Amino acid sequence: DAKTTQPTSMDCAEGRAANLPCNHSTISGNEYVYWYRQIHSQGPQYIIHGLKNNETNEMASLIITEDRKSSTLILPHATLRDTAVYYCIVEAAGNKLTFGGGTRVLVKP
Amino acid sequence: EAGVTQFPSHSVIEKGQTVTLRCDPISGHDNLYWYRRVMGKEIKFLLHFVKESKQDESGMPNNRFLAERTGGTYSTLKVQPAELEDSGVYFCASSQALVGGELFFGEGSRLTVL
């Protein structure tokens, strides 16, 4: 069973920041927060992951609350190519991923 | 650098037939995984190889599924005999790190059982 709760869908305007929330209130101390996305029918694509500290890479930023019970993925300047299903996953090792339903993000012009 | 490649991209077979899916991981990646999404369901973990050894096969649905990774390079997933409910997309992924790393997924092999 997925250990995370995400909104089913959300829209975002092209060029604006997209903020994707995720609740993981039962996260354990050794579990990371991972974000993946699946564009159309392609294979899942890794975005970012973190344990306690906020993380940033060329794709996105990950903000994890101090109690680690929730996090937000930020796509700083959404483009049409960012339209995808985004999955928030908590997992200790990062390999036996439990994909839930994810958030279907539609970036509109 | 080549990514994870899977073959075939799409296979259509009759119920009761056999299908073998192949995955070539990224060179140097010891960890290889199989996942699948059956129709209308979420993506599910099937199994994990470390080199040629099965590290975790807890997600394999039943004994009609056989995964191998001889020599620790490419892997095959055989379904024999295929059933209607096996239809879906089978994803292969590989990684370098065992803990805390990212998985690189292939484009998937779509299986249709008629």
Side-chain angles (χ1 to χ4, degrees), chain B residues 56-70:
Chain B
D56 182 348
E57 52 183 330
S58 60
M60 295 288 267
N62 52 60
N63 59 10
R64 295 185 294 104
F65 290 76
L66 175 64
E68 295 180 320
R69 192 183 182 196
T70 306

Side-chain angles (χ1 to χ4, degrees), chain B residues 1 17 26 39 49-50 56-57 69 73 83-85 88 99 104 106:
Chain B
E1 180 182 337
Q17 289 186 322
I26 293 173
M39 303 307 285
F49 283 99
V50 177
D56 182 348
E57 52 183 330
R69 192 183 182 196
T73 54
E83 298 289 344
L84 300 179
E85 63 265 24
V99 178
F104 296 85

Side-chain angles (χ1 to χ4, degrees), chain B residues 25-42:
Chain B
I26 293 173
S27 178
H29 283 191
D30 288 339
N31 298 283
L32 185 149
Y33 313 85
W34 284 97
Y35 286 78
R36 76 170 181 174
R37 181 202 293 273
V38 294
M39 303 307 285
K41 299 289 183 63
E42 298 163 354

Side-chain angles (χ1 to χ4, degrees), chain A residues 7 34 39 42 46 80 95 99-100 106:
Chain A
Y34 289 85
I39 297 173
Q42 298 177 17
Y46 167 86
L80 299 180
N95 47 33
F99 290 85
L106 176 61

Side-chain angles (χ1 to χ4, degrees), chain A residues 4-5 19-24 33-35 62-65 67-73 88-90:
Chain A
T4 64
T5 304
N19 295 283
L20 283 63
C22 179
N23 288 321
H24 31 80
V33 180
Y34 289 85
W35 284 85
L62 173 61
I63 308 298
I64 302 174
T65 58
D67 63 7
R68 305 212 317 129
K69 292 185 176 181
S70 65
S71 60
T72 301
L73 178 74
C88 172
I89 301 167
V90 296

Side-chain angles (χ1 to χ4, degrees), chain B residues 80-100:
Chain B
Q80 179 183 30
E83 298 289 344
L84 300 179
E85 63 265 24
D86 300 331
S87 294
V89 183
Y90 291 76
F91 294 104
C92 177
S94 71
S95 71
Q96 205 162 36
L98 184 59
V99 178

Side-chain angles (χ1 to χ4, degrees), chain B residues 4-7 21-25 32-34 73-77 91-94:
Chain B
V4 176
T5 56
Q6 295 187 241
F7 182 82
L21 310 178
R22 171 171 170 145
C23 168
D24 286 77
L32 185 149
Y33 313 85
W34 284 97
T73 54
Y74 70 91
S75 174
T76 58
L77 180 65
F91 294 104
C92 177
S94 71

Side-chain angles (χ1 to χ4, degrees), chain A residues 40-60:
Chain A
H40 193 45
S41 58
Q42 298 177 17
Q45 178 190 24
Y46 167 86
I47 301 173
I48 199 167
H49 76 281
L51 185 62
K52 295 180 181 178
N53 299 323
N54 298 335
E55 302 288 343
T56 296
N57 63 20
E58 66 278 3
M59 289 181 69

